[in-house]
Amino acid sequence: MNALTITLGTIGATLSLLCWASFFGGVWNIGKAVTIGQSAPDRWRPFFPRFKTMVIEFLAHTRMNKFRTVGWAHWLVMIGFMGGAMLWFEAYGQTFDPKFHWPIIGDTAVYHLWDEILGIGTVVGIGTLIIIRQLNHPRIPARLSRFSGSKFAPAYVIEAIVLLEGLGMIFVKAGKLATYGGAHASTDFFTMQIAKLLPASPTMVSLFAFVKLMSGMAFLYLVGRNVTWGVAWHRFSAFFNIYFKREADGTVALGAAKPMMSNGKVLDMENVDPDVDNLGVGRMEDFSWKGWLDFTTCTECGRCQSQCPAWNTGKPLSPKLLIMSLRDHGYAAAPYLLAGGRKDPGGDEIGLVDADGKPDEAKLAKISEAARAEAERPLIGAEDVHGVIDPEVLWSCTTCGACVEQCPVDIEHVDHIIDMRRYQVLIESEFPSELAGLFKNLENKGNPWGQNSKDRLNWIKEVDFDIPVFGKDADSFDGYEYLFWVGCAGAYEDRAKKTTKAVAELLATAGTKFMVLGAEETCTGDSARRAGNEFLFQQLAMQNIEVINSVFEGVEQSRKKIVVTCAHCFNTLNNEYPQVGGTYEVVHHTQLLNRLVRQKKLVPVASVSQNITYHDPCYLGRHNKIYNAPRELMEASGSTLVEMPRHGERSMCCGAGGARMWMEEQLGKRINVDRVDEALSTNPTKIATGCPFCRVMLNDGVTARQEQGQGEGVEVVDVSQLMLDSITRIDAAELSANLLVVQEPKAEPEPEPEPEPAPVAEVATEAAPKAAPAGGGLGMKGAAKAPGGGLGMKGAAKAPGAKAPAAEAAPAAEAAPAKGLGMKGGAKAPGGGLGMKGGAKAPAAPAEAAAPAEAAPAPAAPPVKGLGLKGGAKAPGAKAPGAKAPAAPAAETAPAAEAAPAAEAPAAAPVSAATETKPTVAAKGLAMKSGFKRPGPKAPGAAAPAAAPAAPAAPEAPAEPEAPAAESAPKAEPTNGNGNGTPPVAPPTAKPGGLGFKSGAKAPGRKN
């Protein structure tokens, strides 16, 4: 040691105190900010699987290696940063004493080799990454660079520090070898060559050590002062982000959408409290702490951006920029949020208030003006309101999952986007106008196109063999292997129907016995959920689960098998229905057909012998990792597969996911056209896929290009059609015989003895508070009659669309629970959809003869299922029914009861269209104005005419207690819009939070 080295050492030690204080201050600020987020109790356990995933991703670099060159270079830098920490701390001593090394291990051959490898590896790794950044610099054109929008100043600083650290390792060691000797070719093979170029100088060694020490100190100081430098902080937070990832088994956050959560609990239609719970994410504090950790961990590498179909076709969405915006906004507003500041949806202060509930100016004054101004910004809003995320950004996402698949630190972009959409739909009622038609059609008709449920069976008429329909050709699942879930597209869309018919014929050819639901089938709700309408999804899901469970009644769990042709239906039934109580074995048709080929039940005899390119559907590939089955099926058919540049896990989206199927693309190039251009670059004769949404989008893209003279003769087909072309077709009679199942008739239960008829007066007083048991799904609390899967209401309200008794004195007749959501005028639900007006009965159901009501009291209603609405409130989004009035109070019906015995009261006559009453109260929920056009561009066939405006409600009819029930049907009374027969009332002023549309909403599909 000498005076210079002692001085250097003293300076280094003194400065390190400031730098370490800055660093730990940054750690504290990040930790406090993360605690702003809501609880996420599902992220902590199980410990060992999560810890194992973290170690594997760290050591094997499984996520980074998706980009090969970057993968190994980053691994070298990562090991150099972590392993070099020991060498960096050694520099503290080397600035004082150039000979210093760690006791015991510092002079061993292993330590010398470790030092050598780390120094060389760090320099090589960071040099490679610097070159890659410059080669991909967003100069011209900007959108082709994955670094477009990234912060370059922090990146350059960190790269320079890492480079200096690597060089410091090399030159400190080389200086010691030059000064003190002891080099060995096996452990110092590179630094010994550098040492030959350096003089022997102890002071030089201390200077090298001081530079190495100060570069590390600069890192500590700068990152501590800049908590939004993700390029630096991911070195620490990535370990936690990987451990706390959504899926404990280590898979990425794809497949099922994350359930809607608030305050650590999963929200459903039973437990939601609008006064306490957050429906989606509308403010930064609504994100969970895992969301804040995601934002902190983003390293701005841009891999998500490079794979995003929206970004690559000129849309404003970049997953990277979205996460960066949330991070920057969150940390800027953190001082205000950490001080307890909160605002209500109207923008008024509710956090920092005094005893009178007024803003506490003294507390607010302690918070910086910048933090308060940042907290004023709406999370979602256009430039005119200075929003953090532009609505065009939010609604451009196709939820394809490419960003999640490629992110090296497991950020869950899609979950955050869906959460923000939920708030916009459920609370703000702000969403693209085209979605209004989608939501209305799903609620009223049970399918996105707004088609009648009876038409779900039309495709069966187009095949020449018999296909068994549950409830029509078979009363149970006995003898069948699969329930064939046709899906909305497979039943209604002409191009998708070709897939449905091909799969049905292939299964029949193989002797695989299946049945279909027909009119009882309803949309799975995939588009509704990804558009943010979580409660509509749950409504549809519970309705479908009720129907599916009736099919599988008495069937052991291992035999509850469903085959689907739609990748979106597959994902929803397989991954999301278990969240709401429906667990089945679900297979995609390409999986099942490939299995049948392997089992020699389908034997290809003719080779397709064509160059065919295959498009991986996002919800089959990335979301469910099914890549091989469709390709093996194509190979079995004799097709020559020509892969597109982007395929497999990097496949380009067709543009239909995330409810984008039902929205027009107003910005940039159409995603489906971009994908078709890539497909046509392979010079195929056909483009094959395994999803009806993809087929529609790609077909439209091919048509657009063929109109410009490109891709002549190219056809878009499903993989199943290729297989059908390669097998020997058998005649219809044999196909029908292959599907024929002879079921044993069920033993009829012993008839129960009829109960003693109660006096008429007693029946009149007891009939009102009794209710039939709910048919499952969304039940009714209190005495309400369950609409068998509709929206439950507390109190004595009548279920929407339930039949009114013929005479109020008569007790409720025993009947099977209604399916779907309640029907108006006693109509049966169209395939589990929402109610139909009038007394029409759903198609394909057997006619029911009117029977006298049994004079037996109805059983008590079971506990509510679904969305139990308090105080008889109207179910959110329910259609305003024109149902007949419910039972009047017992005291008013006594004369009618005396006029006709209860046992002889006939069933109520259906209400004709001419006498149907119309409600005057504005429909709540997803109310559609007259003239709204359904999303026509995607509907098959000609566009439907605009809906006729609702007729004014008839005046309330006066009570006629003297009229005998046997002589005339009860007169219909106007309802309050929720089918419970109560007098109409003026609608309350809409609050933010309903599903109601704002006045002046733009009709779906119309241009401004």
Side-chain angles (χ1 to χ4, degrees):
M1 291 189 293
N2 55 44
L4 179 58
T5 60
I6 293 174
T7 302
L8 290 174
T10 303
I11 294 173
T14 304
L15 289 176
S16 71
L17 296 177
L18 173 64
C19 296
W20 278 110
S22 174
F23 176 75
F24 284 116
V27 172
W28 176 261
N29 290 335
I30 289 175
K32 290 291 291 181
V34 168
T35 62
I36 294 173
Q38 297 190 34
S39 63
D42 57 325
R43 301 297 183 131
W44 294 86
R45 292 181 176 82
F47 173 77
F48 287 107
R50 289 182 175 276
F51 185 78
K52 176 184 175 183
T53 298
M54 182 187 72
V55 172
I56 291 175
E57 287 197 21
F58 156 58
L59 290 179
H61 246 39
T62 53
R63 311 287 300 153
M64 290 297 302
N65 286 331
K66 292 178 181 295
F67 281 44
R68 292 179 179 85
T69 303
V70 176
W72 63 259
H74 188 275
W75 188 87
L76 290 175
V77 172
M78 179 195 68
I79 297 298
F81 178 81
M82 300 187 66
M86 181 183 293
L87 302 172
W88 180 77
F89 279 106
E90 193 178 37
Y92 271 103
Q94 290 168 341
T95 55
F96 286 97
D97 181 5
K99 289 184 179 180
F100 177 81
H101 56 72
W102 291 117
I104 303 174
I105 63 171
D107 202 27
T108 62
V110 172
Y111 189 78
H112 274 244
L113 181 61
W114 178 243
D115 193 346
E116 191 84 358
I117 293 173
L118 285 180
I120 297 171
T122 302
V123 172
V124 171
I126 195 62
T128 303
L129 294 181
I130 290 172
I131 293 171
I132 289 174
R133 183 179 293 272
Q134 292 307 309
L135 290 176
N136 290 276
H137 195 282
R139 296 181 178 93
I140 297 176
R143 277 189 176 260
L144 295 181
S145 169
R146 62 186 176 93
F147 295 113
S148 180
S150 298
K151 297 179 180 178
F152 276 81
Y156 289 155
V157 169
I158 298 303
E159 287 172 348
I161 289 173
V162 173
L163 181 60
L164 281 174
E165 280 297 302
L167 292 173
M169 296 180 206
I170 293 173
F171 279 94
V172 168
K173 184 179 180 184
K176 291 179 71 174
L177 293 177
T179 303
Y180 304 108
H184 196 282
S186 61
T187 58
D188 313 307
F189 49 86
F190 180 73
T191 52
M192 64 185 299
Q193 304 302 324
I194 302 295
K196 295 176 182 179
L197 305 175
L198 299 175
S201 172
T203 302
M204 179 188 66
V205 175
S206 290
L207 284 171
F208 284 155
F210 181 79
V211 172
K212 176 175 147 183
L213 182 66
M214 285 299 98
S215 64
M217 291 303 170
F219 175 85
L220 294 175
Y221 179 80
L222 291 172
V223 301
R225 303 286 294 176
N226 298 277
V227 294
T228 59
W229 281 16
V231 70
W233 280 108
H234 83 280
R235 298 162 185 268
F236 308 101
S237 60
F239 295 99
F240 300 98
N241 213 51
I242 293 170
Y243 176 87
F244 291 119
K245 66 194 301 184
R246 192 180 85 186
E247 304 299 334
D249 61 0
T251 54
V252 293
L254 295 176
K258 181 176 73 70
M260 186 164 64
M261 300 183 70
S262 177
N263 301 313
K265 71 175 181 180
V266 176
L267 297 182
D268 56 34
M269 293 191 292
E270 293 179 339
N271 66 3
V272 64
D273 184 347
D275 295 329
V276 176
D277 294 318
N278 299 307
L279 302 183
V281 170
R283 298 173 297 274
M284 280 303 300
E285 57 267 33
D286 295 340
F287 285 106
S288 71
W289 58 259
K290 176 55 171 67
W292 281 75
L293 191 59
D294 273 355
F295 310 149
T296 304
T297 308
C298 179
T299 185
E300 305 178 21
C301 66
R303 292 186 178 203
C304 55
Q305 181 174 285
S306 69
Q307 303 297 305
C308 179
W311 179 260
N312 282 305
T313 54
K315 314 295 188 295
L317 168 65
S318 160
K320 177 189 69 179
L321 298 180
L322 180 139
I323 296 297
M324 289 171 59
S325 298
L326 293 173
R327 177 195 64 199
D328 294 345
H329 168 64
Y331 280 102
Y336 168 80
L337 299 174
L338 288 170
R342 294 289 187 277
K343 294 185 182 297
D344 64 13
D348 297 325
E349 179 64 45
I350 58 174
L352 297 175
V353 294
D354 56 23
D356 298 327
K358 297 180 180 178
D360 192 326
E361 297 298 337
K363 292 181 179 178
L364 289 170
K366 296 178 182 179
I367 304 169
S368 69
E369 196 66 38
R372 292 168 59 184
E374 193 68 30
E376 294 281 347
R377 298 178 64 191
L379 187 66
I380 307 297
E383 291 183 5
D384 58 337
V385 294
H386 200 41
V388 179
I389 305 297
D390 191 277
E392 290 287 358
V393 170
L394 184 66
W395 294 104
S396 291
C397 180
T398 66
T399 67
C400 68
C403 50
V404 180
E405 180 67 45
Q406 293 298 325
C407 181
V409 291
D410 287 297
I411 293 173
E412 298 158 5
H413 312 73
V414 172
D415 287 346
H416 300 317
I417 288 172
I418 291 177
D419 269 339
M420 288 187 284
R421 287 182 174 184
R422 284 166 173 161
Y423 185 88
Q424 293 301 299
V425 171
L426 300 176
I427 302 298
E428 297 290 344
S429 296
E430 294 285 352
F431 45 83
S433 58
E434 298 98 330
L435 292 181
L438 169 68
F439 295 155
K440 180 188 177 185
N441 288 334
L442 290 177
E443 286 184 295
N444 294 346
K445 295 294 187 178
N447 66 83
W449 285 280
Q451 300 293 309
N452 292 325
S453 61
K454 65 179 182 179
D455 295 335
R456 283 186 179 270
L457 294 170
N458 285 354
W459 70 271
I460 296 180
K461 301 173 185 176
E462 299 172 15
V463 298
D464 52 4
F465 58 96
D466 299 328
I467 294 177
V469 179
F470 178 73
K472 179 180 178 183
D473 305 304
D475 295 325
S476 72
F477 195 66
D478 295 341
Y480 291 94
E481 299 175 64
Y482 289 93
L483 173 65
F484 183 9
W485 187 272
V486 177
C488 302
Y492 295 121
E493 213 283 326
D494 289 337
R495 290 161 288 189
K497 281 198 287 186
K498 295 178 181 179
T499 302
T500 304
K501 292 182 282 188
V503 171
E505 183 172 347
L506 287 167
L507 294 180
T509 302
T512 301
K513 299 187 183 300
F514 68 89
M515 62 164 58
V516 298
L517 284 176
E520 296 298 316
E521 191 177 288
T522 303
C523 179
T524 58
D526 163 82
S527 293
R529 187 174 218 192
R530 278 152 185 79
N533 201 336
E534 178 69 13
F535 288 142
L536 178 56
F537 160 74
Q538 291 188 25
Q539 172 183 316
L540 295 167
M542 284 189 249
Q543 181 176 320
N544 279 325
I545 289 170
E546 180 186 352
V547 174
I548 296 172
N549 286 346
S550 69
V551 175
F552 290 139
E553 183 177 0
V555 178
E556 62 187 42
Q557 186 63 35
S558 62
R559 291 189 57 245
K560 296 179 179 180
K561 299 180 180 181
I562 303 175
V563 58
V564 298
T565 58
C566 176
H568 296 262
C569 292
F570 171 77
N571 180 71
T572 306
L573 290 168
N574 190 50
N575 297 321
E576 299 186 343
Y577 274 28
Q579 294 177 353
V580 286
T583 304
Y584 318 102
E585 180 184 334
V586 187
V587 297
H588 191 254
H589 71 282
T590 58
Q591 292 177 295
L592 180 56
L593 295 177
N594 191 46
R595 190 182 307 165
L596 295 174
V597 171
R598 290 182 176 183
Q599 295 171 351
K600 307 299 183 185
K601 293 182 179 180
L602 285 176
V603 182
V605 294
S607 176
V608 175
S609 299
Q610 294 175 337
N611 287 341
I612 301 177
T613 191
Y614 175 70
H615 165 77
D616 285 281
C618 299
Y619 276 82
L620 187 64
R622 264 190 301 271
H623 282 272
N624 288 281
K625 310 306 178 195
I626 299 175
Y627 300 111
N628 295 329
R631 286 173 168 80
E632 290 179 9
L633 201 60
M634 291 176 64
E635 182 181 1
S637 69
S639 306
T640 301
L641 175 63
V642 183
E643 295 282 15
M644 286 183 254
R646 291 175 290 186
H647 64 275
E649 68 179 21
R650 293 195 192 177
S651 178
M652 171 73 169
C653 180
C654 72
R660 290 293 320 176
M661 176 83 170
W662 320 106
M663 293 182 263
E664 286 299 324
E665 287 189 58
Q666 307 291 348
L667 303 173
K669 183 179 181 181
R670 295 183 67 89
I671 295 176
N672 61 331
V673 172
D674 188 73
R675 184 57 168 168
V676 164
D677 287 343
E678 185 174 3
L680 295 179
S681 70
T682 65
N683 296 316
T685 55
K686 287 184 172 68
I687 302 172
T689 188
C691 172
F693 281 23
C694 295
R695 179 170 185 167
V696 169
M697 299 298 284
L698 294 176
N699 194 84
D700 289 348
V702 167
T703 301
R705 282 296 180 243
Q706 287 177 343
E707 289 174 353
Q708 299 173 1
Q710 303 175 35
E712 293 298 329
V714 175
E715 181 185 5
V716 181
V717 298
D718 188 87
V719 174
S720 59
Q721 292 177 269
L722 299 177
M723 177 52 61
L724 187 63
D725 289 342
S726 69
I727 66 168
T728 301
R729 310 278 286 270
I730 59 179
D731 59 46
E734 188 174 350
L735 292 173
S736 300
N738 287 350
L739 295 179
L740 180 64
V741 173
V742 179
Q743 296 181 332
E744 294 291 331
K746 292 185 177 180
E748 298 198 6
E750 293 289 332
E752 296 183 5
E754 294 185 5
E756 290 293 329
V760 173
E762 290 183 17
V763 173
T765 60
E766 292 178 6
K770 299 289 184 179
L778 307 176
M780 315 279 285
K781 288 189 178 180
K785 177 177 179 295
L791 303 176
M793 293 181 283
K794 293 184 179 179
K798 175 175 171 289
K803 291 185 181 181
E808 300 305 334
E814 295 181 3
K819 295 182 179 178
L821 305 181
M823 307 300 298
K824 298 183 180 180
K828 181 175 177 290
L834 303 187
M836 300 191 305
K837 295 183 179 179
K841 184 172 175 294
E848 297 178 301
E854 294 291 336
V864 68
K865 297 180 181 179
L867 179 53
L869 297 179
K870 298 180 180 179
K874 179 179 174 292
K879 181 180 172 186
K884 296 197 297 182
E892 298 178 10
T893 59
E898 291 174 6
E904 297 177 6
V911 181
S912 67
T915 61
E916 185 182 83
T917 59
K918 302 285 185 178
T920 57
V921 179
K924 299 179 182 178
L926 296 175
M928 300 298 296
K929 294 186 178 180
S930 60
F932 267 27
K933 176 173 170 283
R934 76 162 189 257
K938 305 298 180 187
E956 184 174 352
E960 299 183 51
E962 302 299 328
E967 294 179 9
S968 62
K971 294 187 178 182
E973 296 180 6
T975 69
N976 66 349
N978 55 8
N980 61 9
T982 57
V985 294
T989 303
K991 296 181 179 179
L995 290 178
F997 292 115
K998 297 183 177 180
S999 60
K1002 176 172 169 278
R1006 292 185 179 177
K1007 308 287 186 183
N1008 287 326

